[in-house]
Structures are given as structure tokens and as C-alpha cells.
Amino acid sequence: MRQVKQVMAVVRQNFLGFFRNPRMIMTFLFSLILCFFLSDKAMMVAEYYNAPMQAAEPFIWTFGDSTSILLTSLLLILLFLDLPKLSPFTPYLLLRMKKRQWLEAQFFYILLVTMLYMGYVLLVTSLLCMKKTFSGNIWSKTAALLGYSGMGKQLSVPSTVKVMESTSPYECMGQIVLLLICYALTLSFLMLFFQMKCGRKAAIGAGLGYSLFGFLLDPRVLARILHKEEYEMYQIRRLTGWISPLNHATYGMHDFGYDSLPAIWQSCMVFCGILAVLAFLSFHTLKNYNFSSFTGTV
């Protein structure tokens, strides 16, 4: 219990001044603007059919493709630039607890901030479209029209027949949120490791490289690079669906009983494996980490 209290004390210390930090305020404002532009296709669909949507559908349609996920997760690089959190209070904490506990507190802080960020994105997306939404846990007529027409595919929304047959709107939303959190955690923990190992510039480079890797392994991008024909897209989708973290975070790139793609639980296991490797590397790096330089800010 004493160790848990020490970890929570470090987490509380990390959150001091969080909501007054100009960088945090700017990140959440950028997220608001990004959600406004990304949810435009959901509003366009509702206005086109002049029909209501289920409350979770704007979020599902907005973050159902890899491009939206990539743009949203890039803001996490700005959000976690100061990892690990160091302050004049850090030496005092390290005298009263083990370094391992201090790093566990950093991990827990990342988890809470990531969940807060994703909850904010979900709330903003829902509020932007609330005039045309209802709360019942059934797919709307608009979703059905999109699923049975080519318009859904053109707009890159995951309102397809196989999605509606396999899950309900709120369950689909929960799965997308889970995948987004897993992807965001791997990105954040990667930045934490490189920050301790090589410094801030390396952490930013690692975050951008992780995102670029996912972008280049997008099936459409990779098909253009490799000059693949339409009939070969199945092979490209299956390959990239398994090896790209960004595709693991994309709901539409999963198996619904029709494709040889990873299931939701398999993608979660892949992310857990990545997190386990990053945790091991971070704990190993922590042994030689230099705590002599502090930022002087809280």
C-alpha cells in the first residue's frame, strides 16, 4: 500500500499545472479544430439523407479510417514532449522511492492522459453532431444506406454490412476507443523510451517515424508505391493489416469473418506485446538514466 501511495504521489505531481500548461491547452484546441474538420463527412452524410444518426456513429465514421487516427495521434507527440516528467521536486521523490516505482508512475500518468485525451475527442465529436443524433443502441437508417451503397466506401466510413451484422453502435465505438488508446500508448511509451535513451530530439523523431511507418504501410499508399493492381489489393491488405501498428488501430482493417485479417483481440495482444518490450527497454535504460538535470518547471 505504501508503494501504491508513492506512485500516486508522483502521478499527482505530474498533473500539477497540467490544465494551465499552454502546450496542453494548445493541444486540446488543435484537437477540437481537427475533430471539427474530420466530422464534416459525418455531418455531410446526415444532411444529404436528411436523417438522424445514432449517437456513436459520428465518432465511428470520423475515426474509422487510418488517416483520421494518424492525424489525431500526431497531437500526442506535442502532448508528451516533456516525458519523463522532471521537476525540482523529483530528487526528493527519488530519495523516498525506488526508480522502478517512479517509472511506473510515468507509465500510469501516460495512461491517464491518453484516456483523458481520447475521452475528450469522443465528447467533442459527439457534441458537434448532437443535433442529428439519437441515443438508442441500433444502427440508423443513414448507416444502413451507407452500408448498402458505394457512398460509404467513397467516404472511408466503416458503415459496412459486415460491421452492422457483427456488432452494435456502442460496442463498435468501445472497440474503436480501445484500439485508439492502445495505439496512443505505444506511441507515447516509445517517445518515453527514446527520451530517456537519446534525448528529446530522438523522442520526437521516434514518434514521427512510428507514424510515418504506419502511413507508408497504408494499403492504398503501399499499392501505389508498388504499382499493384486492384485484384492484388487483398494481398496488400492482409500483409499490412498484420505488420502495421496504424492498421491494427484502424477498425475497418480487422477480420469480421470475411477476411484473413487480425481480430480486435489479436490487435490488442500485438499492442500489449509492443508495450511489454518498451517497458522492458525503459526499465533497463532507467538504471543509467541521468537525473542530475531538471527542467525547473512543474
Side-chain angles (χ1 to χ4, degrees):
M1 183 61 68
R2 180 172 177 270
Q3 294 180 350
V4 173
K5 290 182 178 179
Q6 289 175 332
V7 170
M8 295 307 299
V10 177
V11 174
R12 288 194 298 269
Q13 177 68 25
N14 288 351
F15 270 106
L16 288 178
F18 179 87
F19 296 102
R20 298 191 302 271
N21 190 321
R23 181 164 44 78
M24 302 301 176
I25 296 174
M26 185 169 60
T27 301
F28 281 91
L29 286 177
F30 281 159
S31 296
L32 174 62
I33 297 171
L34 183 62
C35 289
F36 176 79
F37 285 108
L38 292 178
S39 61
D40 180 64
K41 59 184 179 183
M43 290 302 299
M44 182 178 65
V45 170
E47 291 175 0
Y48 180 83
Y49 289 112
N50 193 26
M53 301 178 292
Q54 204 278 337
E57 287 176 358
F59 176 81
I60 293 170
W61 297 347
T62 300
F63 296 99
D65 84 309
S66 57
T67 303
S68 300
I69 296 172
L70 178 63
L71 292 174
T72 305
S73 63
L74 281 176
L75 290 175
L76 288 172
I77 297 178
L78 181 63
L79 198 63
F80 290 119
L81 276 179
D82 57 349
L83 289 176
K85 299 283 286 188
L86 299 175
S87 74
F89 193 59
T90 305
Y92 171 77
L93 292 172
L94 292 173
L95 289 175
R96 299 177 61 86
M97 63 190 305
K98 297 178 180 179
K99 288 184 178 181
R100 178 181 58 81
Q101 294 174 261
W102 180 84
L103 187 59
E104 289 174 355
Q106 305 305 311
F107 286 172
F108 192 50
Y109 166 77
I110 291 174
L111 175 61
L112 291 178
V113 173
T114 302
M115 294 177 64
L116 174 65
Y117 176 74
M118 292 305 170
Y120 173 80
V121 169
L122 174 60
L123 177 64
V124 169
T125 307
S126 300
L127 291 177
L128 287 173
C129 305
M130 66 181 298
K131 289 185 178 181
K132 289 186 173 291
T133 59
F134 62 90
S135 59
N137 192 23
I138 57 173
W139 294 103
S140 68
K141 180 181 178 181
T142 304
L145 289 171
L146 282 171
Y148 285 98
S149 69
M151 188 176 178
K153 185 177 181 181
Q154 293 172 3
L155 293 174
S156 299
V157 297
S159 180
T160 60
V161 177
K162 61 183 181 181
V163 171
M164 290 186 288
E165 288 179 348
S166 61
T167 183
S168 63
Y170 286 128
E171 183 181 354
C172 180
M173 180 192 71
Q175 291 173 346
I176 292 176
V177 170
L178 177 62
L179 293 173
L180 285 173
I181 289 177
C182 288
Y183 179 78
L185 286 175
T186 55
L187 173 64
S188 305
F189 287 176
L190 180 69
M191 291 183 61
L192 174 63
F193 166 67
F194 274 91
Q195 175 83 317
M196 294 193 300
K197 186 71 174 181
C198 307
R200 177 171 295 182
K201 291 183 179 180
I204 296 174
L208 293 175
Y210 188 74
S211 302
L212 179 61
F213 175 73
F215 173 76
L216 291 177
L217 287 181
D218 182 276
R220 294 164 295 182
V221 175
L222 193 61
R224 286 196 294 268
I225 294 175
L226 299 178
H227 304 289
K228 295 293 184 179
E229 300 295 336
E230 183 65 28
Y231 68 89
E232 298 176 296
M233 283 300 295
Y234 173 78
Q235 297 175 343
I236 297 294
R237 283 174 56 86
R238 183 169 59 180
L239 175 65
T240 58
W242 282 98
I243 66 176
S244 169
L246 182 60
N247 287 330
H248 276 291
T250 305
Y251 186 78
M253 289 296 295
H254 287 85
D255 182 51
F256 298 97
Y258 301 87
D259 308 303
S260 299
L261 294 171
I264 299 294
W265 70 268
Q266 290 174 321
S267 290
C268 292
M269 293 302 296
V270 169
F271 283 124
C272 288
I274 296 174
L275 290 173
V277 171
L278 291 174
F280 173 79
L281 294 175
S282 298
F283 279 120
H284 180 74
T285 303
L286 184 64
K287 297 178 181 179
N288 300 317
Y289 186 69
N290 181 16
F291 287 93
S292 60
S293 299
F294 299 97
T295 60
T297 59
V298 177

